Amino acid sequence: MTVPSPTRATPAAVAVVSASALLLEVAYTRLFSLVYWYHFAVIAVAVGLLGFGASGTALATVPALRGRAADACIATAAAAVGAAAALIVIPFDPYRIALEPVQALYLAVQLGALALPFLGAGLAVGAALVETPGRAPVLYGASLGGSAAGALGAVGVLWVLPAPNAVLVSAALAAAAAALLYSAPARRVGAGLAAAALAAFAAGGDLPLRLSPYKPLSVYRQFPDAQIIITRWTPLGRVDVVRSDAIHAAAGLSTTYRGPVPPSPVVLVDGDGPRPLVAASAAGYTEFLPQAVVFALRAPSRLRVLVVSAGGPEAALGVRRGASVVVAEPDPAVREAARAVAPEVYRAMVADDARAYLRRSGDRFDVIVLPLRESFQVVAAGAFSLAETYGYTVEALAEWIRALRPDGLLVATRWLQQPPSEEARLWATAAVALEQMGLRPQRHLAALRSLNTLTVVVSRRPWTPQDASRLRTFARVHHFDLPYAPGAGPAEANRYQVLPHDLYREALLALLDPRTREEVYARSPFDVRPVRDGRPFFFHFFRWRQAGAVLAALGRTWQPFGGSGYLVLVAALGTVVLLSAGLILIPLRRLGPVPAGALPTVGYFVMLGLGYLAVEIPVMQRFILLLGHPTYALAVVVGGMLAASGVGSLASARVQHRLPALLAVVAAVVTGAALGVESVTQAALRWPWAMRLAVACAVVAILGVPMGLPFAPGVVRLRHRPELVPWAWGVNGFASVVASLASAVAALQWGFDAVQIGGALAYAAAGVLASRVGAGSGSSPAARPTA
């Protein structure tokens, strides 16, 4: 095959193929969230790094790949289409991984297929650098700029096209890059036609997807009369509204209710979390829900109610009772669906996250409602483990309480689990939030237990005797138990939904008292400690002491994942480690064994890979609160880090003589970020979204520029030992791939601060090793290289 000659179009082509790869990475997060669960969205970063890391190894070990930039772009386009097909064709089912070992093979094959487009893009950029080494600074800058544009531009593409179609846009961009590179007219025209065809297919309509059969959307589709009346894609997810006479949503409904529960259309985001869109005219049954207690405690006609997110019966109940109801909903597709189905309920809606709205507006409410958005899942399943839930942290509950008027009420409902877990964590979080406000939880909390839910009521003022009387009367009339309420005794806690042992009252009472709270935490089979903004995983209840029981139950339980979705994350990490070793490290053996004296060099580049991702991943997760959605956070952090690190790399020649000191500065900056990013986020939350975006970009730049400085000087120090360069690239890529998933798993266990401190320690360790990079037998140390 004829090798194309370098052209002036090469930097443009490098920028376009780099943009293609990052657009694909963002699109993957949306596809994984829809096809599987939110667990798998973080894998998008890992497979991207896996492909790019493997490309460096491939170029080092297979010389025939060099000088084939245009062909690599065509391969990238084909692989992107194949990756979309892999999500449809490969029958990977995470729920069956405990029963069918072949599912692990399916997972590995699927991850490998998803990494191939990034392998192609990495080969294209690397080959272009080999073709025109004299233009390396321009090409490097074009690659970084294109990558940043692709990550940020992906958000715009996803506003226009569904995520599967965005994959085809990525493929079209890769083909367009090939058209810019080919010198032969026929090939240039062919590549251009391929780009045009892919773009046309992308604009032509929704592509099919195979959803997990366990998602509620898949279940609803099986109903004979089910109709999907609305479907819309945005960067925030796919929104569907399903209507069927078989869909009735009334979690916690009183057993005294004798009337019908009318069917309600439900809105689902990414096929999950069905939220009923109840019309006010059909809301009669809502008077028999535990949440209706607020209207027994306060005069309905004067109440101003904030419902945190659209969907659920609470807004309809408030409108029916004559209250002034405001619904905060950041997703525009959900807002449109709610207004289309129940316009009289959703007249007043706020287009922002509720926490940001309250910070910015300073509004105060008589009632704030945290609706039950998630579908019921056995807690051991861990189906929502990795989801950042910033509405249920200690800081969030304190904000909800402060946003109440003096006699206001906060109402939150969770599913009953046995043994207590999510309801116990909510109760403990409310108690700690009240204590941090200088209030006694015993005087401000109450709980109502229905057949399948626990509703927590927080009063801004201490309960009065009148409040206590109304609360107990409401519970008696509607046959709700009172695990804890002012003046209520054991008889009222287990009167209607009778349990042989009232474990809920026992747990709630113990969690109220700081002296017995730690004992509850210690003896609970699940982790029920309150969560904070620095570790906002409300639905992560896994404890490692469960592992033995989980493994013993494999194949003997109907629980998803055999008992813990968290272990599937660990399995995915193990799979990525094996794939990374197979695609990055093992092929390097073709160049010979690890050179003598290479350990400090290998360690240095490993530490850089670990440190970079240990900073990037937690910052991305923190900025979900600041920017309102994971897709925005991913695009801004990944795109911004690439651009900022590129600037740092280009400036590194001026500081390469002081590499140990430089790494000490980087470690200090990262440590400062770990200690300060949350404060910056909290302060900026009150600002408009555009200003929050500017703050996020500024923080990313402050981190990204110094983090981009140390890599290039390390490579320069290898000029006397060129045999170490492929190993430096390889181990850095391997460490980056592993760290991308390991950082997410570690954040679940220890929080963002711990992971970022780990990143700072990695940079500090790199600083210790820096003076020995490139040293070893057979060469002189490159302790003070020149530019």
Side-chain angles (χ1 to χ4, degrees), residues 12-13 15-21 23-24 70 73-82 117 157 161 164-180 188-203:
V16 171
V17 75
S18 300
S20 164
L23 188 158
L24 183 64
C73 289
I74 289 294
T76 301
V81 176
V157 171
L161 295 174
N165 300 52
V167 173
L168 294 184
V169 173
S170 169
L173 288 173
L180 290 171
R188 178 170 291 189
V189 170
L193 290 174
L198 288 165
F201 277 119

Side-chain angles (χ1 to χ4, degrees), residues 158-251:
L158 290 171
W159 276 116
V160 179
L161 295 174
N165 300 52
V167 173
L168 294 184
V169 173
S170 169
L173 288 173
L180 290 171
L181 287 171
Y182 277 128
S183 56
R187 290 180 179 172
R188 178 170 291 189
V189 170
L193 290 174
L198 288 165
F201 277 119
D206 289 7
L207 296 177
L209 276 178
R210 179 183 55 83
L211 270 65
S212 167
Y214 311 104
K215 284 207 164 184
L217 179 58
S218 299
V219 175
Y220 291 151
R221 282 174 168 171
Q222 305 305 312
F223 295 173
D225 64 337
Q227 293 179 296
I228 300 179
I229 58 176
I230 296 174
T231 295
R232 186 182 168 193
W233 286 86
T234 74
L236 312 187
R238 189 176 108 173
V239 171
D240 294 278
V241 177
V242 183
R243 174 183 289 154
S244 169
D245 289 341
I247 300 176
H248 303 268

Side-chain angles (χ1 to χ4, degrees), residues 43-109:
I43 295 177
V45 176
V47 296
L49 291 167
L50 175 61
F52 282 119
S55 71
T57 299
L59 286 168
T61 57
V62 185
L65 293 173
R66 303 168 192 173
R68 297 283 181 84
D71 296 334
C73 289
I74 289 294
T76 301
V81 176
L87 283 173
I88 301 171
V89 174
I90 297 175
F92 172 57
D93 185 344
Y95 275 127
R96 295 162 64 185
I97 200 168
L99 301 175
E100 300 176 0
V102 71
Q103 294 294 334
L105 175 62
Y106 290 155
L107 174 61
V109 172

Side-chain angles (χ1 to χ4, degrees), residues 673-737:
L675 300 176
V677 168
E678 184 172 339
S679 297
V680 171
T681 299
Q682 295 290 345
L685 200 58
R686 70 182 69 252
W687 297 339
W689 192 86
M691 293 182 65
R692 283 181 263 156
L693 175 62
V695 169
C697 292
V699 171
V700 168
I702 291 169
L703 286 169
V705 171
M707 287 165 58
L709 289 170
F711 188 89
V715 175
V716 170
R717 286 176 177 244
L718 301 181
R719 71 191 187 284
H720 297 302
R721 300 202 61 187
E723 74 278 9
L724 284 177
V725 173
W727 285 99
W729 281 96
V731 298
N732 180 263
F734 174 80
S736 298
V737 175

